[in-house]
Amino acid sequence: MSRALREGRPEACLSDFKLDELVAGELDAAASREARAHVAACPSCAGRSAAREAERDAFQAEAPSFAELAELAARAGAKAPEQGAPSKVVPLAAPRPRGRRLLVAAGSVAAAGAIAAAAAFALFFRVDPAGDVAGDGTRIKGGARVGFFVKRGDAVARGASGERVAPGDALQLTYTTQAPAHLAVLSVDASGAASVYYPAGPRAERIEPGREVPLPSSVVLDDTLGEERIFALFCADPIEIEPVRAALAARPASLPFPSAALPSPPLPASCEVDAVTLHKIQRPR
Amino acid sequence: MKRAGSDAFLERVYREHGHVVLRRARSLLGSEQEAWEALQELFLSLLDRPEQLSDPTSSLTGFLYKATTNLCLNRIRNRATRARLLDAHVAPRDAEGRSEGPRAERLVMVRELLAGLPDDLASAAVYFYGDEMTHDEIAKVMGCSRRHVGDLIERLRARVAMNEGSV
């Protein structure tokens, strides 16, 4: 695991820290020259650098103003938390945009569009375990995983399991895998309804290795509130999806829906599954 | 950039660097909501004690990396946050309760590792394994010598090896 924990970025590429210092203009002249030369020659780092600039612009457009933050502090009577003391922050919901476009596809970022630009951000914990291949070669190598970005109005942000979302939000699902596989993405919502998010056809579709590769279409969330679980099946074979969906749908709707108690989809032998949980709430207008 | 703690200066720091704090918090905590709360907590702390920014040994980005990491590690150690992270990131289990997602299990292992480490090792783990920083960069952010960073990494590797051996 120790090797796998550190094998996400090529040695020659800039660390996130160095890129952040570069974008902030905090490197000395020589280091800045060297970093810029690398960015100019490295498509991956160029994309990461452009994504950081877009991220900064998005934050300036979307985040509460500093005055609002200071006002919250005054209202709550909050003092700076001492080391280890419980925080006294006022719960701050992820803000809505202020009428400016959040992300602009810029420079050498490969894909156009707000969600695709957001999908260029690198993962933080690049936990890519060594291959977990069974003796008969039917298991999928590596830690395949599903991720997503959430679009609310004009704002796009990376999502994480446990994310609070609302009806009308659009999800751009992504996958990461080190080896080719056949992918199917299903969900079960709080009412027990099981849906197939990907693909459109009856069988899992082949995907090529990649990191945070967006699926061809996004999903607009309906108005069923509560917890929704999204399962991504990464399979060696193009399995039929309907039996998996039907099995998920057959779970009694009266059961409570804590994610820890949710049974997994019936897993064909050649499949590995990753899952994320959404909490769908009704946001006040 | 001026290091005094005027509100105008802090506002500029917030606007120009807040996205870095948010991104780190999001990655460490795995929750959009918690990430925004961490951002708020950090800047409220700076409002109250702006002298924290007067650290000549580190760039502003370095200070924000360190402050965000420390703040998030404290949250990770909080029992409720840990329980939620474990719940949110454990892959579906089979009838015998075994996790079926090797990647999800390893992510839980990394976060478990952080929660059990002393402060300096946990920070080093974030910078070394998470950010994949060089030893020089880690020394810059942590405000210590490169040699000390080397010692921390060796201790960390020993802890990781011990964890692997006990799995």
Side-chain angles (χ1 to χ4, degrees):
Chain A
M1 178 172 119
S2 53
R3 247 186 89 190
L5 277 171
R6 201 173 152 87
E7 285 184 333
R9 175 175 59 82
E11 280 290 332
C13 284
L14 304 181
S15 66
D16 287 344
F17 177 61
K18 183 148 277 184
L19 266 178
D20 282 330
E21 284 195 307
L22 176 66
V23 171
E26 291 176 345
L27 294 177
D28 63 35
S32 178
R33 242 186 339 262
E34 189 181 333
R36 288 190 192 285
H38 175 84
V39 168
C42 175
S44 172
C45 288
R48 290 164 65 212
S49 178
R52 269 157 177 73
E53 290 173 3
E55 177 193 68
R56 181 190 55 204
D57 293 344
F59 181 84
Q60 290 173 352
E62 184 188 49
S65 71
F66 192 69
E68 287 174 320
L69 206 68
E71 188 186 328
L72 280 171
R75 258 197 281 135
K79 283 193 168 281
E82 296 299 327
Q83 187 88 11
S87 167
K88 293 182 181 159
V89 299
V90 174
L92 183 65
R96 303 190 75 81
R98 297 167 186 272
R100 285 173 55 186
R101 291 234 164 246
L102 181 69
L103 289 175
V104 176
S108 54
V109 174
I115 295 184
F121 294 167
L123 278 176
F124 180 82
F125 274 114
R126 301 178 185 87
V127 183
D128 291 316
D132 192 15
V133 181
D136 63 0
T138 56
R139 297 287 302 183
I140 300 299
K141 258 192 175 180
R145 54 187 180 267
V146 64
F148 62 97
F149 292 82
V150 182
K151 188 171 187 290
R152 301 182 184 103
D154 290 336
V156 177
R158 171 191 295 274
S161 195
E163 183 87 23
R164 289 186 194 174
V165 294
D169 288 350
L171 293 191
Q172 173 63 66
L173 294 166
T174 66
Y175 70 81
T176 297
T177 178
Q178 292 180 342
H182 294 85
L183 175 65
V185 181
L186 301 91
S187 85
V188 180
D189 67 19
S191 72
S195 311
V196 179
Y197 280 170
Y198 176 85
R203 291 179 172 273
E205 284 207 356
R206 183 181 169 90
I207 55 173
E208 297 304 319
R211 173 174 288 176
E212 290 203 295
V213 180
L215 296 184
S217 58
S218 55
V219 173
V220 178
L221 298 176
D222 64 19
D223 53 9
T224 304
L225 303 182
E227 193 171 278
E228 179 167 341
R229 190 85 158 156
I230 298 176
F231 301 97
L233 273 58
F234 297 86
C235 308
D237 305 308
I239 62 158
E240 282 194 37
I241 302 172
E242 177 54 25
V244 180
R245 191 208 65 77
L248 280 173
R251 180 185 61 84
S254 59
L255 275 181
F257 203 100
S259 54
L262 180 70
S264 61
L267 196 63
S270 71
C271 295
E272 180 182 327
V273 64
D274 191 24
V276 293
T277 303
L278 308 175
H279 297 281
K280 223 190 285 182
I281 59 172
Q282 190 67 55
R283 290 211 178 86
R285 295 192 176 277
Chain B
M1 186 176 274
K2 187 170 176 244
R3 290 295 181 94
S6 66
D7 277 8
F9 170 69
L10 282 173
E11 177 163 9
R12 197 158 68 244
V13 171
Y14 174 75
R15 282 183 54 79
E16 294 179 9
H17 300 273
H19 65 104
V20 174
V21 173
L22 186 63
R23 185 207 321 137
R24 283 188 72 71
R26 192 184 275 137
S27 296
L28 277 166
L29 299 173
S31 159
E32 190 70 14
Q33 179 70 30
E34 284 221 44
W36 282 99
E37 288 176 7
L39 170 78
Q40 182 190 6
E41 184 174 339
L42 191 150
F43 278 92
L44 288 180
S45 170
L46 289 175
L47 260 178
D48 200 57
R49 289 189 295 141
E51 68 276 8
Q52 296 177 83
L53 283 170
S54 304
D55 178 1
T57 66
S58 177
S59 63
L60 189 53
T61 298
F63 166 79
L64 292 174
Y65 260 58
K66 184 176 176 180
T68 308
T69 302
N70 290 345
L71 193 154
C72 290
L73 286 175
N74 283 339
R75 280 180 170 251
I76 287 172
R77 291 191 182 100
N78 173 280
R79 189 181 298 271
T81 301
R82 275 186 67 199
R84 185 193 56 74
L85 283 174
L86 286 170
D87 179 62
H89 288 281
V90 169
R93 294 180 178 274
D94 63 17
E96 280 72 46
R98 293 168 303 195
S99 173
E100 293 182 317
R103 178 254 160 198
E105 278 195 37
R106 288 175 197 273
L107 188 57
V108 170
M109 282 170 69
V110 170
R111 288 203 166 104
E112 283 280 12
L113 180 70
L114 289 179
L117 290 174
D119 290 354
D120 55 353
L121 284 190
S123 295
V126 169
Y127 301 134
F128 186 67
Y129 289 124
D131 295 310
E132 296 187 305
M133 286 188 194
T134 63
H135 286 203
D136 282 334
E137 288 172 344
I138 297 173
K140 184 176 179 180
V141 170
M142 293 184 74
C144 62
S145 69
R146 194 181 183 286
R147 182 173 179 174
H148 183 60
V149 170
D151 289 341
L152 287 174
I153 301 304
E154 284 312 305
R155 285 166 55 197
L156 194 52
R157 282 184 168 137
R159 288 288 284 261
V160 170
M162 195 164 62
N163 274 22
E164 285 179 308
S166 66
V167 171

